[in-house]
Amino acid sequence: MSVDKQTVAKIANLARIEVSEDELENTMGELNNIIDWIEQLSEVNTDGVAAMTSVVAADLPRREDKVTDGGYRDEVLKNAPVAEHGFFAVPKVLE
Amino acid sequence: MTEFTKLTLSEARDALHKGDISSVEITSAHLDAIDDAKELNSYIVVTADKAMDMAAKADAMIKDGTAKGMTGIPIGIKDLYCTKGVHSQAASHILDGFKPEYESTVTSNLWDDGAVMLGKTNMDEFAMGSSNENSYYGPVKNPWRATKENGELSDKNTVPGGSSGGSAAAVAADISIASTGTDTGGSIRQPASFTGLVGLKPTYGRCSRWGMVAFASSLDQAGPLTKTVRDAAIMMESMAGYDPKDSTSTNITVPNYEAALTGDIRGLKIGVPKEYRVDGMPDGIEKLWQQGIDWLKDAGAEIIDISLPHTKYALPTCYIVAPAECSSNLARYDGVKFGLRVDGDSLDDMYKKTRAAGFGDEVKRRILIGTYVLSAGYYDAYYLKAQRVRTLIANDFKAAYEKCDVILTPTAPSAAFNLGEKVSDPLSMYLNDVFTVPASLAGLPGISVPAGLSSQGLPLGLQLLGQAFGEEQLLKVADVLETAAGFKAKPAKWWGENT
């Protein structure tokens, strides 16, 4: 399998990374080199092999469902590029 | 005083505990040396005032009799770790100005034990790279340079390896006694090999990942880069431990790793995997590997030939799994909550422009690959397939450990290469991790031990791989290997004053 320019543009949109028309060609070439190379996994017989979900066998620990943390809005907002009235501020979403 | 910067961690600890020297003295000597080594670009930020405060507190702990192994030891912290109120950007532009309001668990553990932070070390952006050339803050220079045929030192710079390249260069240049690193596919072990250090990646789950900027969550592990195996044992004990804030950290007691260094490996079985002989590997590495086998045999270990048949598929597996996880983890960098924002016409446009400007080329490449392998129609063919092959790779190790206790391999397929040599060829860069990635995929611990010099006078490491939570045994064998190798070489100083 290999990707064409249209697919690269689609992936870039899904990943929310702007890739200009000029860069598409080059990016396509780089991605296809990597995709060709990872393609070699298709020669491995994995019939009946379970997919890895956890490298260390362990049960997910449980805890009581109660709030143990929080209550520091100002600290959270301190790193925001733009914050107003105690909220993160973003460009208009709805017209 | 240069002699303070030559101390190993265990020597410094012993001298501190005896009261022969103070942490304030050792710390200020390191800060002076850092000042003299700016050319290496191994630190992004130096926290001199904080370091002197911490050193004074450490000296008080020593006087009180509450000192631990790490008390008063000045160390470098990889920029991937969140440190409260201090630059923590994973060497990325997209985290511009980010100063966390919290402290990572691993660094908290170190500070609780009295360790002293010198600053934040340079790295490949988001830990993606094998040469430390992918940093927004510029490449790190390896203190080691090749020796020319006429015996003179080359004037060309070599890379320190990556992604923990700044951490490694700092220890190798004696501008930190030890450093923290993180290892996803070899990011502690390969730089250790390139800079003549010991680098330990513990078992997945041994250290908490809380407060470490995530790259590939099923692979990332914290570990130390140190001058000796004993130093690694001391620092590992401080870093490790269960943390309720990381559900993948394992709730088992942290042993006294230093006590495991008995020097006695008689009767232990050392596995040598035939699949780790790769085409084009320099003779020097092949010979060093054989030498390592002989050293362990002479120390009374039994050498067993083993097979890890799926080794060649480990790299492509990793380069599906890691980008997939990174594309998901790095979705949080959107210009809204922290870091860089580039304005756009709409919310989506702002996301796209911010991420295009904020991420470097390699990070973008991996996010795009990850997005592709997880996208509708390709998930089964790539991601699920890779996770199945990953099971086979883990099974290879399980079968091997029925025959042997520890596995011996080279750490990397070459010595440090020149700056700029591989930067335009991502695939040849990925091949650096060929020997380190398999154990990462299986979650197993690995350690690189400096064992010799290449024909050009650059350090080469040998890697030992252990069983899950078998760090004690791993360190025990590493200590014996280190003693046998007797690696004492230091890089010739070409940077700063008094060269």
Side-chain angles (χ1 to χ4, degrees):
Chain A
M1 279 179 268
S2 63
V3 292
D4 55 17
K5 269 165 74 169
Q6 208 188 338
T7 310
V8 176
K10 188 185 145 202
I11 300 166
N13 180 52
L14 286 172
R16 298 293 187 271
I17 295 176
E18 188 175 72
V19 179
S20 70
E21 194 60 35
D22 297 349
E23 294 168 312
L24 272 183
E25 186 81 34
N26 189 32
T27 306
M28 181 184 76
E30 284 175 354
L31 295 189
N32 278 331
N33 272 343
I34 297 170
I35 292 166
D36 281 353
W37 174 71
I38 58 182
E39 208 72 53
Q40 59 178 296
L41 290 194
S42 60
E43 67 194 54
V44 186
N45 181 352
T46 52
D47 293 349
V49 178
M52 169 81 77
T53 50
S54 170
V55 287
V56 173
D59 293 326
L60 211 53
R62 289 162 185 246
R63 65 167 175 82
E64 204 184 327
D65 185 14
K66 65 173 188 199
V67 177
T68 57
D69 200 12
Y72 25 72
R73 183 191 70 186
D74 294 346
E75 283 85 344
V76 170
L77 288 176
K78 216 179 249 177
N79 277 294
V82 189
E84 283 168 19
H85 317 299
F87 294 97
F88 294 109
V90 296
K92 257 190 185 172
V93 181
L94 296 169
E95 289 302 322
Chain B
M1 293 266 293
T2 53
E3 53 263 42
F4 287 147
T5 62
K6 302 285 177 216
L7 295 171
T8 65
L9 198 164
S10 67
E11 288 166 353
R13 173 198 61 184
D14 295 347
L16 283 164
H17 284 207
K18 270 194 248 156
D20 293 346
I21 51 174
S22 71
S23 177
V24 164
E25 287 173 303
I26 306 182
T27 301
S28 64
H30 278 85
L31 290 170
D32 289 345
I34 289 172
D35 221 32
D36 184 52
K38 287 197 177 111
E39 271 175 88
L40 299 177
N41 201 25
S42 55
Y43 283 88
I44 297 174
V45 168
V46 180
T47 50
D49 293 344
K50 196 178 172 81
M52 294 311 291
D53 274 358
M54 292 172 99
K57 282 188 189 127
D59 284 332
M61 274 175 86
I62 294 165
K63 280 213 180 82
D64 288 352
T66 54
K68 306 257 178 57
M70 290 303 292
T71 307
I73 306 293
I75 57 174
I77 300 294
K78 190 177 182 181
D79 199 36
L80 196 85
Y81 291 82
C82 285
T83 44
K84 191 173 180 184
V86 176
H87 188 287
S88 303
Q89 290 185 211
S92 180
H93 185 32
I94 207 158
L95 274 163
D96 261 9
F98 179 63
K99 287 187 178 155
E101 291 294 317
Y102 51 88
E103 187 76 32
S104 84
T105 299
V106 164
T107 49
S108 292
N109 291 344
L110 288 162
W111 311 147
D112 286 350
D113 286 351
V116 173
M117 175 162 76
L118 291 167
K120 300 302 284 286
T121 56
N122 206 341
M123 54 181 283
D124 283 300
E125 184 181 4
F126 286 110
M128 298 178 200
S130 306
S131 67
N132 213 125
E133 289 166 292
N134 296 338
S135 166
Y136 177 64
Y137 298 94
V140 173
K141 292 168 187 163
N142 190 340
W144 289 86
R145 283 178 170 178
T147 307
K148 293 191 283 194
E149 272 174 31
N150 63 10
E152 284 173 22
L153 203 63
S154 166
D155 54 8
K156 285 196 179 132
N157 282 307
T158 64
V159 301
S163 65
S164 310
S167 292
V171 182
D174 290 330
I175 57 174
S176 72
I177 288 191
S179 295
T180 59
T182 64
D183 193 312
T184 300
S187 284
I188 290 174
R189 291 161 285 163
Q190 182 253 19
S193 180
F194 278 19
T195 58
L197 300 178
V198 173
L200 171 62
K201 181 204 91 83
T203 311
Y204 184 83
R206 184 67 284 188
C207 289
S208 169
R209 290 180 297 109
W210 194 84
M212 256 165 57
V213 176
F215 159 20
S217 306
S218 77
L219 297 161
D220 301 341
Q221 262 301 292
L225 280 143
T226 57
K227 296 178 184 179
T228 68
V229 172
R230 184 169 299 275
D231 292 3
I234 297 166
M235 189 158 165
M236 192 69 246
E237 187 176 334
S238 176
M239 292 169 74
Y242 173 64
D243 177 11
K245 286 186 287 200
D246 174 5
S247 62
T248 62
S249 76
T250 304
N251 195 356
I252 52 173
T253 316
V254 180
N256 175 349
Y257 291 121
E258 200 182 0
L261 310 181
T262 59
D264 182 5
I265 60 161
R266 282 174 300 172
L268 273 186
K269 294 189 172 88
I270 310 293
V272 177
K274 62 173 192 267
E275 290 82 3
Y276 280 57
R277 285 200 166 78
V278 297
D279 291 344
M281 190 159 82
D283 274 356
I285 291 178
E286 181 83 42
K287 275 191 200 135
L288 188 69
W289 191 12
Q290 186 54 52
Q291 178 73 68
I293 293 167
D294 294 341
W295 282 328
L296 295 180
K297 201 194 274 177
D298 291 347
E302 187 185 341
I303 306 299
I304 312 268
D305 288 324
I306 58 164
S307 173
L308 299 166
H310 295 90
T311 298
K312 72 175 270 209
Y313 300 110
L315 265 184
T317 298
C318 188
Y319 279 90
I320 292 173
V321 173
E325 294 184 15
C326 105
S327 76
S328 170
N329 273 326
L330 272 58
R332 73 191 66 178
Y333 304 104
D334 57 5
V336 174
K337 298 179 285 297
F338 36 71
L340 182 76
R341 170 184 291 195
V342 178
D343 290 326
D345 300 335
S346 63
L347 186 61
D348 259 340
D349 196 42
M350 183 198 85
Y351 292 153
K352 287 181 187 175
K353 287 196 159 69
T354 299
R355 289 163 65 79
F359 292 133
D361 289 344
E362 180 61 22
V363 174
K364 282 191 236 184
R365 225 169 356 246
R366 295 203 197 180
I367 291 175
L368 292 175
I369 286 286
T371 306
Y372 176 66
V373 301
L374 291 176
S375 64
Y378 299 103
Y379 179 87
D380 286 6
Y382 291 112
Y383 186 71
L384 207 59
K385 180 78 182 181
Q387 292 289 36
R388 292 189 206 282
V389 178
R390 194 173 172 186
T391 298
L392 293 173
I393 290 164
N395 288 347
D396 282 357
F397 280 106
K398 267 186 211 133
Y401 285 129
E402 278 168 20
K403 294 187 194 151
C404 67
D405 300 301
V406 169
I407 294 171
L408 177 72
T409 77
T411 306
S414 75
F417 44 89
N418 286 337
L419 212 66
E421 192 180 321
K422 297 190 179 183
V423 79
S424 58
D425 184 357
L427 282 184
S428 85
M429 192 68 90
Y430 297 172
L431 293 177
N432 271 289
D433 295 335
V434 62
F435 300 141
T436 48
V437 150
S440 296
L441 288 168
L444 300 172
I447 188 168
S448 180
V449 177
L453 293 172
S454 73
S455 55
Q456 292 187 301
L458 293 169
L460 295 171
L462 287 174
Q463 176 180 238
L464 291 160
L465 301 175
Q467 302 176 50
F469 299 100
E471 280 83 2
E472 288 170 280
Q473 200 169 55
L474 189 64
L475 285 159
K476 176 159 67 175
V477 180
D479 176 52
V480 169
L481 185 65
E482 178 184 52
T483 304
F487 185 91
K488 295 276 184 259
K490 289 287 227 178
K493 190 169 182 291
W494 50 264
W495 62 91
E497 287 174 22
N498 309 318
T499 53

